[in-house]
Amino acid sequence: MSIEIIGTVLGLALLDTLSPSVIGVTLYVLLAGPRRTAALLGTYLGAVAAAYFALGALLMLGLGAVVPVIDGTALAWGEIVLGVTLLVASYRIPRQGAAPEARSFTVRAMLMLGLGTWLFEFATAVPYFAAIGIMTSAGLAAAQWMALLGAYVLIMVLPGLLLWLAWLALGERTRGRFETWRAKPASGSRATLSWVVWIAGFLIVADAAATLFPGTVTVPWR
């Protein structure tokens, strides 16, 4: 597994840290100050990470079985269509709704909320699916893609972990800033999501072009 593949996949993971749901729910729980905050946030963030890891593993295993029997040229043209569609769609991204909120502070509720976050953001997890496609195209061994996928989902929930650690370290001194962040509308979220979709679309088109025009177009993860 080359450093280029690692860098590309983890770079896509950094795009996924821009998701508002993990940040919003983490701030909501911290500011509400329930008992067992550590257990509740650990359950929530763990559920989000586990759901994405499980989905990624299923996609990797499924794609690994299907891709070899599909004509490479046909698959590449399919990637071109998908990538161009994403590039066009990046200019027409609708404004996102508010992130879901926790209604009760129980471990079970936080587990369900974590799964709800996964479902809520499933349709916009474009960098995630681009990363899965890149790892599949690279033909990584199971141990390699599992480690890389694990790092990806850890980076996805990193903002929540960092907010939690900041709260543990600074306590009430962070309340004013956290309340501002929670109350502030997601200004610029449309532009941010547009850039995320555009970058993912570009990477998909580049991967397809490397298949259709070998020797002319090269990508670092191949």
Side-chain angles (χ1 to χ4, degrees):
M1 181 166 54
S2 68
I3 190 66
E4 289 84 2
I5 293 174
I6 296 174
T8 302
V9 171
L10 297 188
L12 287 166
L14 288 174
L15 290 177
D16 256 340
T17 64
L18 299 174
S19 162
S21 294
V22 168
I23 296 174
V25 172
T26 300
L27 289 173
Y28 181 88
V29 174
L30 290 175
L31 292 171
R35 302 173 67 179
R36 301 186 301 157
T37 299
L40 295 173
L41 278 180
T43 299
Y44 170 70
L45 296 174
V48 174
Y52 274 104
F53 184 89
L55 175 64
L58 289 174
L59 289 173
M60 289 296 298
L61 294 172
L63 288 177
V66 174
V67 168
V69 301
I70 299 178
D71 178 73
T73 300
L75 182 63
W77 279 112
E79 283 189 290
I80 288 286
V81 172
L82 174 60
V84 170
T85 300
L86 292 175
L87 290 173
V88 173
S90 69
Y91 296 98
R92 303 179 64 85
I93 296 294
R95 197 171 295 274
Q96 291 184 340
E101 294 185 350
R103 295 184 179 277
S104 59
F105 294 112
T106 66
V107 170
R108 180 179 179 182
M110 298 307 289
L111 175 62
M112 298 306 296
L113 184 59
L115 296 177
T117 295
W118 173 67
L119 291 173
F120 177 76
E121 298 191 335
F122 182 82
T124 58
V126 180
Y128 174 82
F129 291 116
I132 296 295
I134 288 171
M135 289 190 288
T136 301
S137 298
L140 302 181
Q144 293 176 322
W145 66 253
M146 287 181 71
L148 198 51
L149 182 59
Y152 189 105
V153 299
L154 179 61
I155 291 174
M156 283 182 70
V157 299
L158 189 59
L161 292 172
L162 293 177
L163 289 170
W164 183 10
L165 291 175
W167 182 267
L168 290 175
L170 301 174
E172 289 297 319
R173 284 176 288 178
T174 63
R175 179 171 291 276
R177 184 174 296 274
F178 281 9
E179 287 179 343
T180 299
W181 289 347
R182 188 183 67 170
K184 182 180 180 181
S187 58
S189 62
R190 185 170 186 261
T192 297
L193 182 59
S194 294
W195 274 109
V196 168
V197 173
W198 190 93
I199 292 170
F202 174 80
L203 290 173
I204 292 172
V205 170
D207 185 73
T211 299
L212 294 171
F213 309 105
T216 302
V217 178
T218 59
V219 289
W221 53 85
R222 290 194 175 197

